[in-house]
Amino acid sequence: MQMPEPDADIIARRDSIVATLKTMLPATSVVDSAEGRRAYDADGLSAYRQLPLVVVLPETVEQVAAIMKYCHHEGIKIVPRGSGTSLSGGALPLADAVLMAMGKFNRILDIDYDNRCVVTQPGVTNLAITQAVESKGFYYAPDPSSQIACSVGGNVAENSGGVHCLKYGLTTNNLMGVEMVTIEGEILRLGGKHLDAGDYDLLGVMTGSEGLLGVVTEVTLRILQSPATRRAVLVGFDETAAAASAVGDIIAAGIIPAGMEMMDSLAINAAEDFVNAGYPRQASALLIIELDGPEIEVNALIDRVADLVNTAGASSLKISETEEERERFWAGRKAAFPAVGRISPDYLCMDGTIPRRALPDMMIRIASLSQQYGLRVANVFHAGDGNLHPLILFDANQPDELKRAEDFGADILRACVEMGGVLTGEHGVGVEKRDLMPIQFSEDDLKQQQRLKCAFDADHLLNPGKVFPQLHRCAELGRLHVHHGKMPFPELPRF
Amino acid sequence: MTPQHPQHLDDVLSLIKDAMADGAALAIVGHGSKSDWGYPVAEARPVVLDRLSGVIDYQPEELILTVRAGTAMTEINKALAKQNQMLGFEPPDLGELYGANNPSSNKGSIGGVLATNLSGSRRLTAGAARDFLLGFEAASGRGERFRSGGKVVKNVTGYDLSKLICGSFGTLAIMDEITLKTLPKPEATKSLIFPADDLAAAGKHIAAILATPHEPSAAAILPADMAAKAGYDMAKMLVVIRLEGFAISVNARADALLALYAGGDEIDDKASQSLWQLITNTVLLADSQGDIWKVSCPATAAPAIIQGLKDILPKDLPLRYYADWAGGLLWLDLPSQVTPADVAYGARLRQILADHGGGFAQLIRDSNITRQYLPAFQPLADAQFGLHKRIKAAFDPMRVLNPGRMHHDI
């Protein structure tokens, strides 16, 4: 992965940059030793490592604004970081960039049950939001698998999802407002405790912008009343195609499950070996379907779901009768990644989305690619929304296996786009999928996205080298071709 | 000038390029049903998008609908109804509200609904129009074709331009192909009405109901005059709660709420549907002689906003209003401005809003007098406005697309 050439001039000025940052922050909030910086040299995409120029740990919005203003003025790049759990390298440091870690923004500021929202600092973990409101029967719906560690600021940057997206949406659908700092050091408030804005939806644009548009310093999240009941069905299928059509049948019947997960044979057996969840080892596909809501509704619908999966050709079926049993159904799915980690020294987790009807074809494609590359793959899907997580097994100690695994992954993502889907459903583009963007988007599509970037950060100082395969200068992106060579309004700014 | 009716995105691109070359602007409408919302685009070439029409692809079991942006809402609703599905954000039909000023008013196009980010009563629980646009293809004000998003329900690839386009009133791009997320239509609907002493008590009652696991899909507050107009003349303010879903569940939840809170009453499916149409489609205020304001505020701020307005209104002029979204959406009927010195009500409204947690007050219908003195869209702070101008320039550097429809300079 080629990162932008570090600016030798900035690196040469490192000592004076560090000294200046120490005038803006307490000395302990500027990490400049090599061993101190080492703790920040990677995020969840740990195949890529880089020591940052320096790490800053601000704790007030004024400090963030001062650092941004200084860096903007001096032309120094900034990489924002939440808890560093990104799976796509969104928080990968750059040798010539200040790494701004938001971990000290760790307080929940306001729990407002009457307006059903929580105002929090961005370094608070996703799970801590639910923990703060569960005594009153509320919860925060998006639940990425890293929820015990990942920060809500990072969730905003990545538009994080989870297993309950089909029914409850991603971060963007559960976010009411942010306070953010622009690269110029301006503090903006977008949204708030009200539902709709009446201007351009900058909140929507910030969500999922992967740290390229600004740094979030406060977040307002919508909380929901917890459902009265949750029950799950565990269904085995001999044929993957039957499992896929069962998923479509359930939705066609007007039922939107809270979660609908699929695992293939290798994933089923790895999970079973690890946690003994009682999964059917013979099945070639397993579905976990969870319904939530009022008890009478869940009980009625779970029977309808059972009928539908039986009609679709289920080979085994279990319905959770107790909360313990429901949690056991989930235990294997939740342990799927570490379970695969036990059977292979390393694995790459992919994250494309396809139209659900393409699932059987995709399974065949992945199997043939697996043969072609000589690498095993375990498949875990958020089946309800067509979001695939193929886990490609490899051994980084073998020469060329990482490269082969990456090429295999890229081929899977190419197939996703070819089948009408997209490169990433919830992990983000980051550095991992950056160079694949032209598969999904034309040159003009990407240029238009970068023009939006230019409106926020005309010098490309925020998190450069992420998301876009090619950095165009904003002046170049602003050039216009006008018919007949006429260029009216020469006084208008163009960028 | 004769309106242009482009049939293909290429036609749209040509119109934009010609306008760029001539230094002209385009006044863009879908079907024109909401053309009185925002400012008229001065001295512009009219472009009507009604021929960018038709359903392209509909996969009900994928919850995906791809249509062209100029498709009539009536046609979309018909296609969805056949598959027992709907648009979750319950797009309102403002035909009654704009009908008097706009004889050509109709139910509008999906493009117009998205351009105004217009959402109905279910927005409280299901999300806004912007939450249901998954992707699109459009022409930018640079005369270039571009795509964003995708045709799947879960996607974080690249910036989410779908959000930006929704609510931009045609000032950034002209959409053609759009992909929406659909939802199953509820099997049953039932509404409950509860009397309330005042707005604060009504808001508290709704907050309490939303803190139960009985999952209302919508919650509105009708002051006594509005309730009477809707056919519920009980000389009391009413809280209206809607329950939707599978019949067995709706019945059980209705019974549970009626047992929890005394004084409630049940409205059957048919009456419930017509009541919510009056609420969502703002029919209750359509006959107003004054200005209509749409206010998005924190639900708990509603009583202070209403009280603040009552304090400055002449005593003989009762404030007509009602609230949706649990109190977070206020529809207000305020006296029209007559003189420049007379901008008190709208300005006061925005001040009270700022003092109570922020939000947006939009003047959405007036007699074209008030908006000359008071911005129809809420003015933005400097840094925000600067960013808006730069975003406008990023998509439409020569200000060809609907210049001035929202804000001066946008």
Side-chain angles (χ1 to χ4, degrees):
Chain A
M1 183 62 58
Q2 193 73 33
M3 294 307 284
E5 193 63 34
D7 184 335
D9 175 51
I10 296 290
I11 291 174
R13 288 165 53 203
R14 182 168 179 270
D15 289 350
S16 92
I17 292 169
V18 168
T20 307
L21 290 169
K22 282 183 176 167
T23 66
M24 298 176 178
L25 295 171
T28 51
S29 298
V30 179
V31 180
D32 60 330
S33 70
E35 59 274 27
R37 284 181 288 150
R38 185 94 52 211
Y40 297 90
D41 72 352
D43 61 13
L45 186 72
S46 54
Y48 296 94
R49 293 186 181 274
Q50 170 64 53
L51 275 193
L53 185 72
V54 55
V55 179
V56 291
L57 306 164
E59 51 195 314
T60 66
V61 64
E62 291 77 19
Q63 289 172 354
V64 173
I67 297 165
M68 303 276 273
K69 203 173 245 173
Y70 162 69
C71 288
H72 181 241
H73 186 258
E74 298 291 318
I76 304 163
K77 297 170 186 134
I78 295 178
V79 175
R81 175 183 164 113
S83 301
T85 56
S86 166
L87 293 171
S88 56
L92 177 68
L94 300 171
D96 59 346
V98 172
L99 186 81
M100 188 182 281
M102 299 299 285
K104 289 195 174 182
F105 280 79
N106 57 6
R107 285 183 304 122
I108 292 177
L109 302 173
D110 178 18
I111 299 177
D112 183 345
Y113 291 109
D114 283 344
N115 287 308
R116 293 160 298 280
C117 61
V118 169
V119 183
T120 178
Q121 292 189 323
V124 171
T125 63
N126 173 292
L127 187 61
I129 304 298
T130 290
Q131 286 170 339
V133 298
E134 64 192 356
S135 65
K136 298 266 185 173
F138 283 86
Y139 77 118
Y140 175 59
D143 57 346
S145 57
S146 55
Q147 70 177 158
I148 55 165
C150 65
S151 70
V152 293
N155 290 175
V156 173
E158 299 292 325
N159 192 11
S160 304
V163 297
H164 294 113
C165 291
L166 182 66
K167 185 165 178 184
Y168 296 104
L170 287 88
T171 302
T172 191
N173 313 109
N174 292 277
L175 177 68
M176 298 175 72
V178 298
E179 175 193 74
M180 62 169 276
V181 181
T182 67
I183 188 67
E184 286 102 349
E186 297 261 22
I187 300 166
L188 303 181
R189 297 198 78 89
L190 310 176
K193 291 183 178 180
H194 51 282
L195 288 178
D196 276 5
D199 49 9
Y200 288 162
D201 189 354
L202 304 184
L203 180 65
V205 167
M206 270 301 287
T207 314
S209 64
E210 304 198 21
L212 271 73
L213 300 182
V215 173
V216 169
T217 48
E218 187 192 290
V219 182
T220 303
L221 300 166
R222 179 174 78 134
I223 52 171
L224 300 175
Q225 179 62 34
S226 306
T229 318
R230 295 185 170 104
R231 289 181 77 186
V233 200
L234 192 67
V235 199
F237 288 88
D238 293 337
E239 301 288 339
T240 306
S245 72
V247 171
D249 294 345
I250 290 166
I251 290 172
I255 301 169
I256 305 288
M260 189 141 56
E261 298 289 305
M262 193 188 292
M263 295 164 72
D264 75 354
S265 171
L266 185 53
I268 294 166
N269 282 289
E272 198 53 23
D273 289 341
F274 189 31
V275 294
N276 284 315
Y279 288 178
R281 284 179 178 277
Q282 312 306 319
S284 47
L286 176 77
L287 284 182
I288 306 168
I289 304 160
E290 178 162 294
L291 301 175
D292 68 6
E295 191 173 351
I296 193 165
E297 172 181 321
V298 170
N299 291 344
L301 292 186
I302 209 117
D303 290 338
R304 282 174 73 170
V305 166
D307 287 346
L308 287 164
V309 296
N310 277 328
T311 309
S315 54
S316 68
L317 175 84
K318 273 193 245 177
I319 300 177
S320 71
E321 297 299 336
T322 62
E323 191 56 14
E324 294 69 42
E325 195 172 13
R326 183 187 72 86
E327 280 171 9
R328 197 159 63 244
F329 288 0
W330 278 105
R333 168 62 185 90
K334 288 191 171 162
F337 289 18
V340 166
R342 290 169 79 237
I343 60 171
S344 172
D346 300 282
Y347 67 86
L348 268 188
C349 174
M350 307 313 294
D351 172 48
T353 303
I354 54 170
R356 238 183 308 94
R357 62 181 180 275
L359 196 59
D361 288 344
M362 181 52 98
M363 291 299 293
I364 294 167
R365 180 77 67 91
I366 290 176
S368 98
L369 287 169
S370 169
Q371 288 214 323
Q372 180 190 326
Y373 283 98
L375 296 172
R376 288 184 300 164
V377 59
N379 286 297
V380 179
F381 309 134
H382 301 307
D385 42 34
N387 186 196
L388 315 175
H389 289 317
L391 305 173
I392 300 171
L393 281 50
F394 71 101
D395 180 355
N397 288 327
Q398 298 301 317
D400 94 327
E401 276 210 7
L402 171 63
K403 170 86 173 60
R404 248 160 63 212
E406 286 184 333
D407 289 348
F408 182 179
D411 277 351
I412 293 175
L413 296 183
R414 272 188 199 97
C416 287
V417 175
E418 193 186 301
M419 293 181 185
V422 298
L423 295 172
T424 172
E426 57 182 356
H427 293 174
V429 177
V431 294
E432 187 204 23
K433 293 174 274 285
R434 182 192 73 187
D435 293 346
L436 300 174
M437 286 289 268
I439 298 170
Q440 188 179 332
F441 293 114
S442 75
E443 181 75 14
D444 277 352
D445 299 341
L446 290 173
K447 281 187 172 168
Q448 192 52 50
Q449 293 199 28
Q450 289 192 59
R451 284 187 197 103
L452 178 68
K453 159 78 170 173
C454 292
F456 283 82
D457 174 22
D459 302 326
H460 287 303
L461 292 175
L462 268 170
N463 219 6
K466 317 288 171 69
V467 182
F468 297 109
Q470 213 186 337
L471 281 184
H472 295 283
R473 285 176 45 243
C474 289
E476 178 199 330
L477 287 165
R479 256 178 230 143
L480 270 179
H481 171 77
V482 179
H483 267 340
H484 325 305
K486 280 198 271 178
M487 180 65 96
F489 306 122
E491 75 285 1
L492 279 173
R494 299 175 209 282
F495 49 80
Chain B
M1 213 178 293
T2 325
Q4 298 291 316
H5 295 261
Q7 299 198 28
H8 305 285
L9 195 55
D10 283 337
D11 305 339
V12 174
L13 290 165
S14 303
L15 290 171
I16 293 172
K17 284 179 186 159
D18 288 346
M20 288 167 74
D22 299 341
L26 302 178
I28 305 140
V29 298
H31 289 196
S33 69
K34 293 178 277 295
S35 50
D36 288 343
W37 190 346
Y39 292 92
V41 183
E43 292 170 32
R45 301 173 181 176
V47 178
V48 182
L49 303 176
D50 55 352
R51 302 223 178 121
L52 299 180
S53 174
V55 173
I56 295 169
D57 187 25
Y58 181 19
Q59 303 283 339
E61 70 293 341
E62 303 269 350
L63 306 176
I64 293 285
L65 172 66
T66 302
V67 297
R68 301 186 72 197
T71 311
M73 284 307 299
T74 46
E75 187 180 342
I76 290 175
N77 288 332
K78 211 163 32 173
L80 289 164
K82 254 189 218 166
Q83 299 294 336
N84 231 352
Q85 291 197 337
M86 63 177 186
L87 295 176
F89 61 98
E90 200 174 359
D93 167 8
L94 299 185
E96 296 258 355
L97 190 70
Y98 286 119
N101 289 347
N102 182 357
S104 73
S105 181
N106 52 40
K107 291 176 189 305
S109 66
I110 183 65
V113 167
L114 296 172
T116 53
N117 190 29
L118 185 59
S119 316
S121 299
R122 206 184 290 106
R123 193 265 174 267
L124 175 67
T125 49
R130 53 87 98 174
D131 293 296
F132 288 82
L133 178 63
L134 299 173
F136 65 87
E137 180 172 31
S140 72
R142 302 172 49 88
E144 290 163 358
R145 177 193 293 266
F146 71 102
R147 275 179 179 279
S148 175
K151 295 182 180 179
V152 289
V153 294
K154 196 169 174 193
N155 174 19
V156 297
T157 322
Y159 296 134
D160 194 351
L161 301 185
S162 296
K163 302 285 184 293
L164 186 63
I165 292 296
C166 285
S168 67
F169 283 78
T171 62
L172 297 177
I174 297 179
M175 291 193 285
D176 184 0
E177 186 183 294
I178 58 178
T179 296
L180 299 155
K181 179 181 176 178
T182 64
L183 284 179
K185 218 174 223 170
E187 183 181 281
T189 302
K190 200 174 250 191
S191 289
L192 307 177
I193 49 173
F194 297 92
D197 288 335
D198 55 30
L199 191 53
K204 285 212 168 76
H205 192 183
I206 293 177
I209 288 175
L210 285 168
T212 69
H214 301 308
E215 301 181 3
S217 73
I221 302 165
L222 302 181
D225 58 332
M226 292 287 128
K229 215 169 161 193
Y232 297 86
D233 193 355
M234 299 153 79
K236 280 289 240 180
M237 179 178 274
L238 291 186
V239 164
V240 190
I241 299 290
R242 185 175 65 190
L243 302 166
E244 294 179 311
F246 292 94
I248 187 174
S249 164
V250 168
N251 292 334
R253 286 182 280 148
D255 292 347
L257 284 173
L258 289 173
L260 263 176
Y261 301 101
D265 214 343
E266 199 173 288
I267 306 178
D268 69 23
D269 200 330
K270 204 170 160 217
S272 166
Q273 285 190 25
S274 57
L275 176 57
W276 284 99
Q277 275 183 15
L278 297 179
I279 295 170
T280 270
N281 297 338
T282 64
V283 179
L284 293 173
L285 290 178
D287 64 353
S288 145
Q289 300 298 308
D291 296 343
I292 303 294
W293 288 79
K294 176 177 186 256
V295 180
S296 171
C297 61
T300 52
I305 293 167
I306 296 302
Q307 190 54 51
L309 287 169
K310 282 184 174 167
D311 289 347
I312 59 163
L313 280 170
K315 290 281 167 281
D316 57 339
L317 223 143
L319 174 64
R320 298 207 317 158
Y321 76 96
Y322 67 93
D324 203 349
W325 303 355
L329 174 68
L330 295 172
W331 291 104
L332 305 175
D333 173 5
L334 291 178
S336 290
Q337 309 298 316
V338 182
T339 70
D342 207 14
V343 295
Y345 307 123
R348 176 85 180 121
L349 167 61
R350 283 178 175 152
Q351 186 55 50
I352 303 169
L353 197 55
D355 294 344
H356 287 85
F360 279 82
Q362 279 194 45
L363 175 59
I364 82 158
R365 195 192 82 184
D366 73 338
S367 49
N368 291 327
I369 298 171
T370 309
R371 64 169 80 183
Q372 293 173 32
Y373 302 115
L374 201 66
F377 289 75
Q378 187 155 307
L380 299 163
D382 287 350
Q384 213 97 308
F385 194 48
L387 200 44
H388 272 64
K389 282 200 277 195
R390 296 199 298 277
I391 290 172
K392 170 73 171 173
F395 284 80
D396 181 21
M398 297 176 63
R399 301 185 65 236
V400 169
L401 307 177
N402 273 357
R405 173 102 190 233
M406 297 176 80
H407 295 275
H408 186 63
D409 281 350
I410 293 288

